[in-house]
Amino acid sequence: MLPELSPHVSDTAPARGALRPARSWLHSDAPSLSLNGPWRFRLSPTASAAEDFAAEGFDDHGWDPMPVPSHWVLEGDGAYGRPIYTNIQFPFPIDPPHVPDENPTGDYRRRFDMPAGWSDAERVVLRFDGVESLFRVWVNGVEIGSASGSRLAHEFDVTAAVRAGDNVVAVRVHQWSAASYVEDQDQWWLPGIFRDVTLHARPAGGIEDVWLRTGFDDGRGRVDAEVTAQASAFPVTLRIPELGVEQVWATPAEVAAFDIAGVEPWSAERPRLYEATVSTAAESIALRVGFRTVEIRGDQFLVNGRRVVFHGVNRHEAHPERGRVFDEEHAREDLARMKRFNVNAIRTSHYPPHPRLLDLADELGFWVVLECDLETHGFEKGGWVGNPSDDPTWRAAFLDRIERTVERDKNHPSIVIWSLGNEAGTGGNLAAMSAWVHARDAERPVHYEGDYTGEYTDIYSRMYASVPETEQIGTDGSRAPLLGCTPSQGARQRTKPFLLCEYAHAMGNGPGAFDQYEALVHEYPRLHGGFVWEWRDHGILATAPDGTPYYAYGGDFGEVVHDGNFVMDGMLLSDDVPSPSLHEYKAVVQPLRFAFDGDKLAITNLRHSADTADLHFRWCVEHDGTPVESGELDVPVVTPGGAGQVALPRIAVAPDAETWLTVEAVLATDTAWAPAGHVVATAQLDCSIRRPVPAVRPRTGWRPGDGTLSLGIAEFVDGSLTRLAGRAVTGPRLELFRAPTDNDESPSDGVENSDASIAGVSNADLWRADGLDRLTTRRISVEQTTNTLRTVDKVSAANSALSVTVESNWSLDEGELELRVEIEPSSGWRTVWPRIGVRFELPDEPAPVDGAAWFGLGPLESYPDSLRAARTGRFSDGIGDLAVDYARPQETGHRSQVRELTLTSGAAKVLRIVAIPDTHGRRPGFTLGRHTPQEIARAQHPFELPESTASHLIIDAAQHGLGSRACGPDVWPEFALRPESRTIRLRLAAG
């Protein structure tokens, strides 16, 4: 007799009815029928709508079409509700296991023809690969069962309900249920049938499940098979043709492990797969086998005997139009892009992805931490009172979730760690999940970050640990306290491999300090790297009132509670454009280390298992950014973990120009993820002859003046610049403000290592309180000589006694115009400053300044703690491409260490600027854009920026770093900009 079928939305039981046990997602030749496509759909505001829709003869012609898979809130332009974004908050009262009566409920119907030949099937199974949240299923009016676990697979036995020919399947999906309390992941709430629906004919004598456990040791592979089939299905044959394997097991008792000689191992760098089949007379299963052994030895995590360093990303399933609906072509390109940016690992935050993604991970090569569909983060608000993780009532649901996670994906060689979930506190149910995994899969270790004391997990894991804390975790013999641990618990955790399961929160413009974390990984072997939060922004494509498309975030759909743009925290923008942070990440984690030693180049191969035979090495010499020589280096093959050395070419050093040598390692041949010539790693060496900084010429004979004069291309009225190179110009105006980044806007937790922090207050709030966004100027003096002009201004804000003195010196010597700006703050400033610079406004008449060409760091934006992706050279870009289109407008576009800058208008050169280093050798940076920092700061979306009638050039003596404070450490003190005196020297000429 079947158990009770009809659940209440407050039922904590994971399923009812004819739900079959979890099993692998297999490629079988048994008949199947996709039920993807148009279904009939009706949305009700509550869960109590009549169930008459499930009857065979129900008339659904008045219903709307709804594609399956899809999310109903992303269809119909709002006709079926809107998405909701929360990070930690629950979008309903915290009253577990109950949910509100206002519970959007979607009813689906579809007719299908079952082939006549299926009447010979032993079982007919209806599979749902993903439905959010609780769903109930009927076939031909017969209720089959119900299930929850939105990102998990569920198979129902519908044998007794189906028939040859016409059938109707009906599904009711509730947006909210008890399961919603354990699915509080940081993402959009998107209800609906969003993954595949498939009908399977299970043949008599078929294979119910198969697991090919594999191992590798010194050229020998091992297969330990587990075949789930009735005894009558035997004999079962395993074939791996490329290895000459044809293993026949006549009975279940004969299934045993065996070794294979001459096997190549699988790794993320060399993802060697072998085609295999497991067959009976009735069914054949196709698998791709990768041989690898996962183990923890002491405090080291090893695959095939070698330590793994995870250069990983946290990956949500997100698309601006489809939400979590899987598109294989897009996913393949997404993973190929990861490979191109030196990402080698994926944490499937915080649920199993579509199963095909793991096939791609096997094929392209990634270390995967496969995470269960579990998070209860909203209970943190109440001090974790009522948290399901420690409530026996929920144990069956927790165990069901981990069983379905492991069983579905157990055959993938890419999966090297199982993760119980994320941010669900701790408790007995998590410990029970871990015990189940250990019993089921003794090889792969168990991860869960919330187990701070290491009671039931094999890996010590933290998120957003600071650089000093991470160093103390890696240091042998350290007695520094660990979060939530007694001294003895801390000592135990230091005996395990350590992972940063989340770090370097990549929200908006940032993060900084990738390189500091990476340096620790290579100094302390216990540290195994980590996973950046996160891979991509989750923006949803929307349309502004004026018709402008934009990427929406929390609050843009009228949510009652939401977490704003915290969902826009990826290194890839919503439209698949890599942000500068992704380029920075690629440069920091590149798998080769170059070291210049006189006329030699030392190359260290940091790869896990690949030598350098797949790479070519090339070099180029540039004089002031202009290439003058290039060639290839004949580098001997460097083994994994090894080092080699090669002679450098003789460098032609220019006597009157900067000389830079650039070395690159590029792919020698095409791969599945990048073409030949793709740059894998690079380094630069400054070979320049040091030249003294031109001294400031002493001036005498100053006299008060009216400040109305011309100095070459510059014209002044009352001491203020009015025209430059024949164009109207205003400035230079002191600019201390930048449009706050997401990190700038985040409050400090008061325990960071930067002296910039005040607990509970953001840097941006401090800047606004000091009036940095609303500075006013009082002219103190104007002095001049025949070819010079000097003005002194006092700059301050309303209701503030703090000030900055700005002395501007213009001089014309031998036809060369120079501007020197001396910036000196008063005493009493308490906070960091966002920048120290001067701004010029360039009106659009006679034509807009719309581009720049420069010699300095580029090609992308860079900041003091994010410079590794930048190289010294000559670059050019249009004004629109100099900025990054972050979902929330903020500081962007700064180019560091500029030597020369030419502003352009169309093809015409408007103004040439040469930047002279200060007495400490520091070079300024520049930003060119269409809006002031104040205008950018007032906009919440790009379409809210006002129409512009001018371009704005800011020359910065210094910029504050980026940090990761939106969710993590603040700017490292070395890169925090304290108020200080600075000098800017520029030489200007007509373009």
Side-chain angles (χ1 to χ4, degrees):
M1 181 175 178
L2 289 176
E4 180 185 353
L5 300 183
S6 300
H8 189 270
V9 289
S10 299
D11 190 353
T12 62
R16 296 188 182 277
L19 187 68
R20 307 182 83 234
R23 66 184 183 119
S24 302
W25 192 79
L26 297 170
H27 299 272
S28 169
D29 66 355
S32 65
L33 178 66
S34 173
L35 298 187
N36 292 352
W39 290 49
R40 308 298 292 174
F41 179 77
R42 174 187 68 184
L43 183 67
S44 302
T46 71
S48 59
E51 297 176 5
D52 56 348
F53 81 100
E56 284 191 75
F58 182 84
D59 184 2
D60 60 17
H61 287 91
W63 289 18
D64 298 332
M66 177 65 65
V68 169
S70 72
H71 303 280
W72 70 63
V73 292
L74 297 182
E75 302 293 326
D77 195 23
Y80 311 111
R82 290 293 193 181
I84 298 170
Y85 167 62
T86 62
N87 170 27
I88 299 174
Q89 305 179 82
F90 285 120
F92 44 78
I94 305 173
D95 183 25
H98 307 291
V99 293
D101 294 337
E102 294 83 4
N103 186 356
T105 296
D107 291 332
Y108 294 79
R109 284 174 55 90
R110 179 192 166 121
R111 308 196 82 87
F112 65 90
D113 285 324
M114 192 177 83
W118 283 30
S119 57
D120 296 333
E122 183 177 65
R123 293 280 141 200
V124 178
V125 173
L126 180 59
R127 181 182 180 100
F128 294 84
D129 281 305
V131 183
E132 182 175 332
S133 152
L134 170 69
F135 68 105
R136 299 167 61 189
V137 181
W138 293 260
V139 174
N140 295 329
V142 177
E143 186 168 3
I144 303 299
S146 65
S148 60
S150 298
R151 270 68 67 176
L152 304 170
H154 298 89
E155 290 185 332
F156 294 92
D157 188 336
V158 297
T159 310
V162 294
R163 59 191 174 230
D166 184 55
N167 295 262
V168 61
V169 58
V171 182
R172 168 159 288 183
V173 181
H174 302 291
Q175 175 159 13
W176 309 124
S177 70
S180 303
Y181 284 101
V182 296
E183 294 180 357
D184 188 30
Q185 291 97 336
D186 176 9
Q187 60 178 349
W188 295 96
W189 299 87
L190 298 173
I193 305 174
F194 68 93
R195 286 187 184 156
D196 306 300
V197 181
T198 314
L199 198 67
H200 295 273
R202 301 295 308 130
I207 299 169
E208 184 62 20
D209 201 359
V210 62
W211 184 7
L212 298 184
R213 296 182 178 93
T214 64
F216 179 82
D217 184 18
D218 195 25
R220 296 186 65 81
R222 184 170 180 82
V223 175
D224 186 0
E226 178 185 289
V227 178
T228 305
Q230 295 179 359
S232 59
F234 283 76
V236 173
T237 303
L238 167 63
R239 294 182 178 88
I240 310 178
E242 195 173 352
L243 295 173
V245 172
E246 183 161 340
Q247 180 73 43
V248 181
W249 296 300
T251 67
E254 293 183 12
V255 178
F258 62 93
D259 292 339
I260 312 169
V263 168
E264 297 178 45
W266 185 97
S267 74
E269 291 164 358
R270 289 186 168 171
R272 183 67 163 93
L273 295 171
Y274 294 90
E275 301 291 336
T277 58
V278 179
S279 305
T280 68
E283 183 179 16
S284 182
I285 304 293
L287 302 96
R288 292 188 298 183
V289 177
F291 292 91
R292 52 102 185 97
T293 294
V294 177
E295 63 178 320
I296 291 177
R297 193 182 302 163
D299 62 358
Q300 306 283 294
F301 177 84
L302 311 176
V303 175
N304 298 333
R306 290 187 58 83
R307 171 177 175 257
V308 173
V309 175
F310 294 89
H311 292 133
V313 294
N314 283 276
R315 180 193 180 273
H316 269 290
E317 294 196 313
H319 187 275
E321 296 174 88
R322 297 187 299 271
R324 285 189 285 280
V325 175
F326 183 74
D327 178 272
E328 184 165 334
E329 181 179 355
H330 184 261
R332 179 181 287 275
E333 173 53 29
D334 221 25
L335 267 59
R337 186 182 292 110
M338 289 182 189
K339 298 284 285 189
R340 293 195 293 272
F341 282 90
N342 291 333
V343 173
N344 71 3
I346 298 169
R347 178 181 177 225
T348 68
S349 55
H350 300 291
Y351 44 83
H354 190 284
R356 272 294 289 160
L357 186 97
L358 297 165
D359 286 341
L360 298 178
D362 293 342
E363 174 189 327
L364 294 173
F366 290 93
W367 310 115
V368 174
V369 177
L370 198 285
E371 198 146 83
C372 184
D373 188 9
L374 177 67
E375 182 167 337
T376 68
H377 205 168
F379 286 93
E380 184 181 44
K381 181 180 179 67
W384 296 103
V385 173
N387 183 20
S389 297
D390 204 32
D391 183 345
T393 306
W394 295 81
R395 180 157 298 185
F398 276 58
L399 287 172
D400 179 74
R401 285 170 182 266
I402 194 64
E403 290 172 19
R404 292 188 178 280
T405 296
V406 172
E407 296 294 355
R408 193 197 74 170
D409 297 328
K410 56 186 177 283
N411 280 293
H412 292 283
S414 58
I415 298 173
V416 293
I417 297 173
W418 299 113
S419 180
L420 304 180
N422 185 68
E423 293 175 323
T426 189
N429 294 338
L430 287 156
M433 294 169 72
S434 179
W436 184 91
V437 177
H438 283 120
R440 184 69 177 114
D441 183 1
E443 181 189 40
R444 286 176 279 209
V446 172
H447 164 275
Y448 175 66
E449 187 267 349
D451 180 25
Y452 295 137
T453 61
E455 298 294 330
Y456 49 83
T457 49
D458 306 303
I459 291 169
Y460 183 31
S461 177
R462 286 287 309 284
M463 53 177 69
Y464 308 111
S466 67
V467 170
E469 184 182 5
T470 304
E471 183 174 24
Q472 288 304 309
I473 291 170
T475 301
D476 288 337
S478 172
R479 294 180 178 271
L482 299 184
L483 180 68
C485 290
T486 65
S488 62
Q489 290 167 338
R492 175 174 62 189
Q493 290 294 64
R494 284 189 172 92
T495 66
K496 299 177 181 179
F498 177 74
L499 267 185
L500 283 163
C501 67
E502 295 179 22
Y503 82 110
H505 192 261
M507 186 173 180
N509 189 348
F514 278 137
D515 51 351
Q516 292 175 277
Y517 286 101
E518 181 67 12
L520 294 180
V521 167
H522 299 292
E523 186 173 355
Y524 301 101
R526 180 180 305 131
L527 307 181
H528 286 71
F531 298 81
V532 174
W533 188 267
E534 64 174 301
W535 171 240
R536 65 160 59 242
D537 285 356
H538 297 213
I540 291 179
L541 189 61
T543 304
D546 65 356
T548 302
Y550 73 101
Y551 292 101
Y553 50 75
D556 288 338
F557 297 106
E559 300 101 306
V560 175
V561 296
H562 63 85
D563 286 304
N565 70 319
F566 208 71
V567 77
M568 308 298 241
D569 48 10
M571 294 191 291
L572 194 70
L573 303 183
S574 299
D575 57 359
D576 294 345
V577 173
S579 73
S581 68
L582 186 52
H583 290 269
E584 180 76 2
Y585 184 76
K586 175 187 177 180
V588 168
V589 305
Q590 63 185 28
L592 301 178
R593 181 185 294 148
F594 298 109
F596 298 98
D597 183 12
D599 60 352
K600 297 287 195 299
L601 174 68
I603 302 170
T604 303
N605 182 2
L606 302 175
R607 290 163 150 184
H608 173 270
S609 48
D611 59 27
T612 60
D614 62 329
L615 303 175
H616 283 165
F617 295 83
R618 62 194 187 195
W619 60 272
C620 175
V621 173
E622 294 172 310
H623 291 167
D624 275 356
T626 301
V628 293
E629 292 182 285
S630 62
E632 293 201 355
L633 295 172
D634 186 13
V635 177
V637 173
V638 183
T639 58
Q645 196 175 68
V646 65
L648 288 169
R650 185 177 181 86
I651 305 300
V653 178
D656 56 354
E658 291 188 42
T659 301
W660 286 86
L661 169 66
T662 302
V663 175
E664 294 178 330
V666 303
L667 290 178
T669 59
D670 293 346
T671 69
W673 46 270
H678 167 76
V679 176
V680 173
T682 186
Q684 272 194 320
L685 177 66
D686 185 358
C687 306
S688 307
I689 297 173
R690 295 292 171 251
R691 290 173 288 171
V693 175
V696 175
R697 296 186 183 185
R699 304 290 177 184
T700 59
W702 292 103
R703 63 182 185 276
D706 63 5
T708 300
L709 73 162
S710 296
L711 294 175
I713 63 169
E715 300 177 28
F716 303 87
V717 174
D718 296 333
S720 297
L721 179 68
T722 58
R723 296 185 69 80
L724 193 59
R727 297 177 61 98
V729 175
T730 59
R733 170 193 173 95
L734 179 69
E735 188 62 83
L736 303 179
F737 186 67
R738 72 183 186 193
T741 67
D742 292 309
N743 292 317
D744 294 336
E745 290 282 13
S746 181
S748 165
D749 62 10
V751 297
E752 299 161 357
N753 296 281
S754 171
D755 58 359
S757 348
I758 296 178
V761 181
S762 73
N763 280 335
D765 283 341
L766 295 175
W767 298 339
R768 287 185 283 257
D770 281 345
L772 300 189
D773 58 337
R774 49 184 174 83
L775 297 175
T776 60
T777 300
R778 179 173 66 85
R779 177 68 43 85
I780 295 175
S781 64
V782 179
E783 296 177 300
Q784 62 193 75
T785 68
T786 303
N787 291 314
T788 60
L789 171 68
R790 178 168 68 191
T791 62
V792 179
D793 297 320
K794 185 175 182 179
V795 181
S796 54
N799 198 36
S800 174
L802 304 173
S803 65
V804 180
T805 300
V806 180
E807 179 182 319
S808 300
N809 293 270
W810 294 86
S811 61
L812 185 67
D813 291 298
E814 299 176 358
E816 188 171 59
L817 179 67
E818 179 173 316
L819 165 65
R820 188 180 86 254
V821 182
E822 303 284 356
I823 300 166
E824 182 180 350
S826 68
S827 61
W829 291 94
R830 292 174 170 267
T831 66
V832 295
W833 277 353
R835 71 182 343 138
I836 301 174
V838 292
R839 173 160 57 91
F840 297 86
E841 183 175 303
L842 309 164
D844 287 349
E845 296 298 332
V849 171
D850 57 9
W854 72 98
F855 175 39
L857 290 188
L860 303 175
E861 66 184 27
S862 56
Y863 293 83
D865 53 356
S866 184
L867 287 169
R868 291 283 289 276
R871 64 181 179 86
T872 302
R874 288 196 177 272
F875 310 97
S876 62
D877 239 328
I879 197 168
D881 294 324
L882 288 168
V884 178
D885 197 16
Y886 294 114
R888 185 188 70 79
Q890 57 195 276
E891 164 65 29
T892 179
H894 180 260
R895 267 67 177 178
S896 306
Q897 299 180 24
V898 66
R899 282 83 158 161
E900 298 175 17
L901 170 65
T902 299
L903 304 183
T904 58
S905 178
K909 296 178 180 179
V910 173
L911 183 68
R912 181 174 179 266
I913 302 171
V914 174
I916 301 172
D918 66 12
T919 55
H920 297 281
R922 298 173 296 194
R923 300 181 185 276
F926 82 93
T927 305
L928 179 67
R930 293 293 293 172
H931 296 93
T932 68
Q934 293 76 9
E935 290 172 331
I936 296 170
R938 286 191 288 268
Q940 294 300 306
H941 301 87
F943 69 84
E944 295 170 347
L945 290 166
E947 289 292 325
S948 174
T949 58
S951 297
H952 301 271
L953 172 67
I954 302 176
I955 303 293
D956 282 320
Q959 271 258 3
H960 185 55
L962 298 174
S964 185
R965 198 157 110 177
C967 189
D970 197 4
V971 175
W972 190 249
E974 180 183 350
F975 306 113
L977 179 59
R978 303 301 305 186
E980 61 183 30
S981 297
R982 285 286 191 146
T983 300
I984 297 173
R985 287 182 69 189
L986 308 173
R987 289 180 176 168
L988 304 98

